[in-house]
């Protein structure tokens, strides 16, 4: 009830006041909660998830570090899962943005939204690292997408600079670089985020599918087949003959999605936390744009961190 909710929020407020802080990329502050940096609202939302969110075993979660290909993954999973429901000439994604069809659990008002009206399998997305997800979600399936941290850094800095409060001085790329390297950015550290899901995917490959943006770019059809099988709807011979996989890849391509009117105009609302211009989810959509922003020295430094953090994990870029 309302009194209980107020009490819970009050407790969360006190907890947050005790946590270490650093400068945010979008907001004034981030708080360090269990090793991860979150803005005040996103942290509050996380605490509320633990109090209110009830996962169902049929749920499917799409997880990612920000700017790693979430929008693309949403479109791919939705169209793969629902390939019998729509034709490719008249598809739901033609007039619904990927973010509007899959809610982000990080920005909801949990005492009022309970998602029980959604039919199974429910699709959700999140940027929280695995250790910050409630235990009830461990029964659900999860698809994680990761991306070269150099491209993530550039994409994130450009994106967050647009969303950054106008009351704050701009964040220079050099500052963003330094912060990123020490893990201090929304949902960071990047490397621990990725590793949390990577390790879990090795332990539990039937529950967690780990994808890379780069592999999606190079072999999108293979990734769609992998997704379909993982989601329990393997692509059939008949579908292969009809070219269904190719249709899904084409529908979800950067060129196609970014040119749809529904993705070019208007704003995407993430709860009460954030409004984002829809077109800002589509920038270049390529591998290696970091070359236009990072010096050789910066590249060496990030690659060095990645090598060290991922050493022995089996994960490489
Ligand atoms: P760039 O800024 O490097 O272009 P997220 O969806 O997690 O916010 O990530 C956004 C990044 O994915 C942006 O990267 C964006 O251009 C790219 N992107 C969006 N849709 C895409 C698609 N359909 N195919 C490939 N990349 C896409």
């Amino acid at each position: 009830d309302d009194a209980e909710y107020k009490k819970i929020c009050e407790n969360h407020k006190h907890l947050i006041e005790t946590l270490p802080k650093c400068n945010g990329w979008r907001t004034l502050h981030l708080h360090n909660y269990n090793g991860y940096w979150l803005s005040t609202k996103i942290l509050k939302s996380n605490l509320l998830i633990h109090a209110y969110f009830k996962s169902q075993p049929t749920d499917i979660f799409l997880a990612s570090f920000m700017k790693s290909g979430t929008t693309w993954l949403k479109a791919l999973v939705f169209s793969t899962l629902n390939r019998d429901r729509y034709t490719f000439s008249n598809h739901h994604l033609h007039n619904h943005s990927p973010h509007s069809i899959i809610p982000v659990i990080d920005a909801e008002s949990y005492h009022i939204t309970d998602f029980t009206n959604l039919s199974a399998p429910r699709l959700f997305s999140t940027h929280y690292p695995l250790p910050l997800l409630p235990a009830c979600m461990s029964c659900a399936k999860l698809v994680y997408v990761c991306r070269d941290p150099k491209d993530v850094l550039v994409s994130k800095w450009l994106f967050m600079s647009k969303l950054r409060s106008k009351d704050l001085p701009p964040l220079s790329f050099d500052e963003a670089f330094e912060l990123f390297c020490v893990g201090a950015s929304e949902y960071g550290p990047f490397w621990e985020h990725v590793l949390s899901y990577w390790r879990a995917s090795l332990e539990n490959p039937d529950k967690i599918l780990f994808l890379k943006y780069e592999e999606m770019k190079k072999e999108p059809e293979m990734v769609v087949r992998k997704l379909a099988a993982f989601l329990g709807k393997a692509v059939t011979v008949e579908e292969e003959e009809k070219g269904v996989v190719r249709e899904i890849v084409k529908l979800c391509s950067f060129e196609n999605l970014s040119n749809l009117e529904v993705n070019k105009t208007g704003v995407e609302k993430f709860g009460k936390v954030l409004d984002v211009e829809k077109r800002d989810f589509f920038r270049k959509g390529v591998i290696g744009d970091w070359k236009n922003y990072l010096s050789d020295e910066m590249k060496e430094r990030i690659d060095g961190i990645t090598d060290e953090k991922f050493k022995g994990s089996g994960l490489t870029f």
Side-chain angles (χ1 to χ4, degrees):
D1 59 36
D2 211 37
E4 187 192 77
Y5 176 71
K6 283 206 177 108
K7 177 105 197 305
I8 289 177
C9 290
E10 194 58 28
N11 290 342
H12 291 167
K13 206 171 138 241
H14 292 308
L15 167 72
I16 292 170
E17 280 162 11
T18 68
L19 301 175
K21 281 194 275 195
C22 78
N23 289 342
W25 291 32
R26 181 175 66 80
T27 56
L28 181 58
H29 286 130
L30 300 177
H31 310 271
N32 194 293
Y33 182 59
N34 291 344
Y36 290 94
W37 294 103
L38 301 175
S39 72
T40 313
K41 284 184 181 169
I42 295 292
L43 171 53
K44 282 185 178 164
S45 183
N46 187 263
L47 297 168
L48 287 172
I49 286 175
H50 287 261
Y52 289 96
F53 188 72
K54 291 194 179 52
S55 184
Q56 299 169 0
T58 48
D59 287 346
I60 299 164
F61 288 88
L62 311 184
S64 56
F65 189 85
M66 285 182 63
K67 311 324 285 177
S68 299
T70 323
T71 314
W72 190 14
L73 183 65
K74 282 185 175 187
L76 284 170
V77 169
F78 180 85
S79 50
T80 300
L81 201 61
N82 294 297
R83 60 190 191 268
D84 301 331
R85 258 173 80 188
Y86 307 105
T87 63
F88 291 99
S89 54
N90 184 15
H91 200 278
H92 198 62
L93 280 169
H94 289 163
N95 35 39
H96 296 82
S97 68
H99 290 284
S100 72
I101 51 177
I102 302 184
V104 191
I105 60 166
D106 309 15
E108 283 299 336
S109 310
Y110 282 94
H111 56 304
I112 38 185
T113 325
D114 69 1
F115 299 115
T116 44
N117 59 327
L118 301 179
S119 55
R122 305 185 304 178
L123 284 169
F124 297 107
S125 80
T126 184
H127 291 315
Y128 291 128
L130 191 60
L132 296 192
L133 297 182
C136 69
M137 278 171 54
S138 59
C139 294
K141 282 193 180 176
L142 192 148
V143 184
Y144 185 79
V145 60
C146 80
R147 187 182 188 189
D148 181 329
K150 301 187 290 302
D151 282 330
V152 170
L153 160 65
V154 168
S155 183
K156 181 168 182 173
W157 175 67
L158 293 166
F159 183 76
M160 292 307 233
S161 297
K162 283 189 186 148
L163 294 174
R164 189 168 164 88
S165 162
K166 298 287 165 276
D167 307 333
L168 299 173
L171 180 73
S172 71
F173 185 67
D174 285 352
E175 283 173 84
F177 175 80
E178 287 300 326
L179 290 170
F180 191 85
C181 287
V182 297
S185 73
E186 285 78 356
Y187 299 97
F190 169 85
W191 297 274
E192 278 73 7
H193 195 289
V194 174
L195 282 173
S196 72
Y197 286 99
W198 170 250
R199 295 206 171 102
S201 75
L202 294 180
E203 279 166 27
N204 226 337
D206 298 338
K207 285 285 181 201
I208 302 188
L209 178 66
F210 190 96
L211 300 174
K212 289 180 180 165
Y213 183 92
E214 292 74 18
E215 114 188 279
M216 286 158 65
K217 271 282 189 199
K218 285 177 193 145
E219 289 189 273
E221 296 195 7
M222 194 265 293
V223 168
V224 168
R225 288 185 192 102
K226 229 194 228 184
L227 268 176
F230 176 75
L231 298 170
K233 283 186 74 172
V235 178
T236 63
V237 176
E238 202 187 7
E239 285 177 315
E240 287 289 3
E241 280 165 1
K242 280 196 297 187
V244 170
V245 175
R246 208 175 321 120
E247 290 286 359
I248 293 174
V249 168
K250 205 169 86 191
L251 172 71
C252 301
S253 69
F254 182 87
E255 290 65 33
N256 188 54
L257 290 184
S258 62
N259 283 308
L260 293 173
E261 207 48 43
V262 67
N263 294 323
K264 284 202 288 197
T265 49
V267 295
E268 208 77 70
K269 288 195 173 297
F270 296 95
K272 285 191 199 141
V273 174
L274 185 67
D275 288 356
V276 182
E277 298 278 347
K278 288 182 184 179
R279 60 168 188 267
D280 290 342
F281 284 105
F282 302 90
R283 193 182 63 92
K284 280 195 176 171
V286 299
I287 299 173
D289 191 41
W290 60 264
K291 295 191 183 93
N292 297 314
Y293 294 83
L294 272 73
S295 64
D296 291 348
E297 202 180 309
M298 285 169 154
K299 179 219 180 264
E300 291 303 319
R301 178 141 164 234
I302 293 217
D303 284 350
I305 298 171
T306 305
D307 289 346
E308 195 193 304
K309 298 257 188 190
F310 288 180
K311 198 166 56 193
S313 72
L315 182 59
T316 51
F317 275 104

